[in-house]
Amino acid sequence: VLRRTPTAINQVHAATDKTTLVEAEVYRWYNLFFPWSRGMSSRSEGAIKPLYDALANEFRVVLTDGQIMSRADYWERLWGLYGKRAGSPESHITNLSITALPGDCFLAVFDLVKDGITKKKVDSALMRLDQTSPSGISWVYVHESEHERALA
């Protein structure tokens, strides 16, 4: 039986606020990455560094090809992606699910889909509250995968 004590209600509100931060970070990241990868932003460190600054020091990513990258390696990849996806349709974040975990950590799982494209990316990200990160959230681990999807 869930009792609605003031403490329980405050815990739910605090978790909701944190989940909202995580959701905002997922969208913030993509809204910086999209113009960078399409060559629509300035080719300056300031345009892309906020993405790097949101990566935890121990950050790791598994790319769709199975390659595993550290934070430093991923910075090189990000820098090299400037304008490389020019003309590629915009991705839409769908099916975003955020699960609160112990230790102010969160698991975010979401699809990235493009209109008219049958492949979709499914990303899962371990994130945590981090006051040193620009958004208050840092990315600890990301696993990208690619799958076929049915077009309606």
Side-chain angles (χ1 to χ4, degrees), residues 25-26 29 51 54-56 58-71 74 77-78 106-110 112 121-128 137-145:
E25 173 59 12
V26 170
W29 209 98
L51 298 183
L55 305 179
E58 68 275 22
F59 174 80
R60 294 288 181 273
V61 61
V62 179
L63 302 176
T64 57
D65 65 3
Q67 189 177 173
I68 300 172
M69 294 185 151
S70 67
R71 184 177 192 245
Y74 197 64
R77 176 180 167 76
L78 280 174
F106 299 85
L107 177 64
V109 180
F110 54 95
L112 289 168
K121 278 182 53 184
V122 178
D123 287 0
S124 52
L126 177 63
M127 304 164 90
R128 72 169 171 247
I137 300 290
S138 64
W139 299 72
V140 179
Y141 178 85
V142 175
H143 189 114
E144 301 177 347
S145 59

Side-chain angles (χ1 to χ4, degrees), residues 12-50:
V12 168
H13 287 300
T16 300
D17 290 345
K18 292 173 185 177
T19 300
T20 301
L21 272 178
V22 172
E23 180 179 2
E25 173 59 12
V26 170
Y27 284 96
R28 182 191 78 89
W29 209 98
Y30 185 73
N31 289 332
L32 289 170
F33 178 78
F34 177 79
W36 175 265
S37 65
R38 276 39 174 207
M40 299 163 50
S41 62
S42 67
R43 187 181 179 116
S44 67
E45 192 172 287
I48 196 71
K49 192 158 184 310

Side-chain angles (χ1 to χ4, degrees), residues 42-105:
S42 67
R43 187 181 179 116
S44 67
E45 192 172 287
I48 196 71
K49 192 158 184 310
L51 298 183
Y52 178 75
D53 290 342
L55 305 179
N57 287 334
E58 68 275 22
F59 174 80
R60 294 288 181 273
V61 61
V62 179
L63 302 176
T64 57
D65 65 3
Q67 189 177 173
I68 300 172
M69 294 185 151
S70 67
R71 184 177 192 245
D73 293 336
Y74 197 64
W75 169 250
E76 294 300 321
R77 176 180 167 76
L78 280 174
W79 187 257
L81 281 175
Y82 181 81
K84 297 286 191 225
R85 298 183 181 170
S88 178
E90 183 175 0
S91 294
H92 305 283
I93 296 168
T94 63
N95 301 321
L96 175 59
S97 166
I98 300 168
T99 304
L101 302 171
D104 281 334
C105 291

